[in-house]
Amino acid sequence: MMAPLARMTPLTPLVRDSALVWLASGVVGVSFGAIAVAGGLPLWVPVVMSLIVYAGSAQFSAVGVLLAGGGPLAAAATGLLLNTRTAAFSLAVADVIGRGRLTRLLGAHLVTDETVAFALAQPDPARRRAAFWISGLGLFAVWNLGVLAGALAGDAIGDTAAYGLDAAFPAVLVALVLPALRENPAVRRSALLGAGLALAVTPAVPAGVPVLVALAGLAGYGSTGGRRTA
């Protein structure tokens, strides 16, 4: 009886750390559901979107287009453009997710900024895989429960921005990437380059495009990382 328990014990820190991300996800999920329904969309729209699309920032963008009077195609195109960054994320965790068609299909659905950052921050393959699935499944559950709660609450919440809900996800992401930035100078230089490029183009391009432009910072990691290990 003691051996299984001993094997489970190292997972406790992963659950504890993931809980912080789950909490932020639930809060933002409530905000998303409330904004969508308060803006005039039927309750089922944010709920179904969260189950099938499951992409927080892309969902906010798509709903914003719909509430501004845009059509479904424009909303879908906006969300797709913003979420193309997950293609690079999927490559980064392809070996982490595991083997098997069903496993990869489910794992691909759980790929988010948070799950990828949390998984890649772990020191070995076993912990990376455990971190991905623990954070990913918990995040999916809490996000959808939060969206449902927010949609049911409707406009009773009032001004969601007044509570700082829009800052919850960025704050969590900063906390997740700080260890890598402190430990690896090449990562730090690439992150600064990507952030600078994103800030430079923000006034001139549509929302979501600066995130894609920031990926150009990876070129800096390839060059500086190669020189460091040579």
Side-chain angles (χ1 to χ4, degrees):
M1 294 295 293
M2 293 299 294
L5 181 60
R7 287 196 297 268
M8 291 177 62
T9 301
L11 299 181
T12 303
L14 296 179
V15 175
R16 181 196 60 212
D17 295 343
S18 295
L20 299 175
V21 184
W22 299 342
L23 177 61
S25 175
V27 171
V28 180
V30 170
S31 173
F32 172 73
I35 289 172
V37 173
L41 295 178
L43 184 146
W44 65 268
V45 171
V47 173
V48 172
M49 184 186 292
S50 295
L51 287 169
I52 297 177
V53 178
Y54 183 53
S57 56
Q59 290 180 223
F60 272 103
S61 298
V63 165
V65 171
L66 291 174
L67 296 182
L73 290 179
T78 301
L80 182 62
L81 175 64
L82 185 58
N83 221 41
T84 50
R85 69 189 187 283
T86 57
F89 295 162
S90 298
L91 294 175
V93 295
D95 295 333
V96 174
I97 292 175
R99 300 186 181 276
R101 184 171 301 176
L102 184 60
T103 300
R104 286 184 173 272
L105 182 63
L106 177 59
H109 194 54
L110 298 179
V111 170
T112 64
D113 306 66
E114 297 78 25
T115 55
V116 171
F118 191 56
L120 296 183
Q122 306 308 313
D124 59 77
R127 284 183 64 85
R128 283 195 286 271
R129 181 167 299 178
F132 176 85
W133 287 104
I134 289 173
S135 63
L137 290 171
L139 193 65
F140 180 81
V142 173
W143 169 260
N144 281 280
L145 288 174
V147 171
L148 177 60
L152 291 172
D155 56 0
I157 294 179
D159 184 10
T160 53
Y163 301 99
L165 300 182
D166 53 337
F169 263 13
V172 171
L173 286 176
V174 169
L176 286 173
V177 302
L178 277 178
L181 294 178
R182 286 197 298 264
E183 295 171 5
N184 193 325
V187 172
R188 191 159 54 245
R189 286 190 290 268
S190 298
L192 289 173
L193 174 59
L197 291 172
L199 288 173
V201 302
T202 295
V205 299
V209 175
V211 178
L212 302 178
V213 173
L215 292 175
L218 293 174
Y221 180 78
S223 58
T224 57
R227 288 197 298 270
R228 189 167 59 90
T229 56

